[in-house]
Amino acid sequence: KKILDTTSKYVKVGGIVSYSTCTITREENEDVINDFLEKNDNFIKIYEKRIKPNDENEADGFYMCFLKRI
């Protein structure tokens, strides 16, 4: 949360913040984003994706979200 809060202060209007983690837990991902958006009405979520690990993609799980400053 602290990293997202700090970096968001340096984004110009129209700029985008990328938030990503190498976990798939709701607490470290969606909950962090939702809390941030509740406190920062000058940002909107423009993209969000959670990739779960499986045999097909042979990838570790991860999460990404892009927030745009308006």
Side-chain angles (χ1 to χ4, degrees):
K1 286 183 179 184
K2 188 174 180 180
I3 293 170
L4 181 58
D5 288 338
T6 301
T7 57
S8 68
K9 293 174 177 49
Y10 297 96
V11 178
K12 294 180 181 180
V13 173
I16 295 173
V17 171
S18 170
Y19 177 82
S20 63
T21 67
C22 58
T23 69
I24 56 172
T25 63
R26 183 170 200 60
E27 297 81 19
E28 289 188 60
N29 298 309
E30 291 91 349
D31 290 353
V32 171
I33 294 299
N34 291 335
D35 183 61
F36 175 81
L37 291 173
E38 285 179 18
K39 296 175 182 172
N40 297 277
D41 61 356
N42 58 334
F43 280 87
I44 58 170
K45 185 183 336 177
I46 58 172
Y47 182 80
E48 179 179 49
K49 178 105 177 171
R50 184 194 314 197
I51 304 294
K52 295 182 180 179
N54 64 44
D55 293 335
E56 185 177 309
N57 63 22
E58 298 181 15
D60 293 335
F62 68 94
Y63 170 87
M64 69 179 108
C65 184
F66 299 128
L67 306 169
K68 183 174 184 176
R69 186 167 187 177
I70 55 173

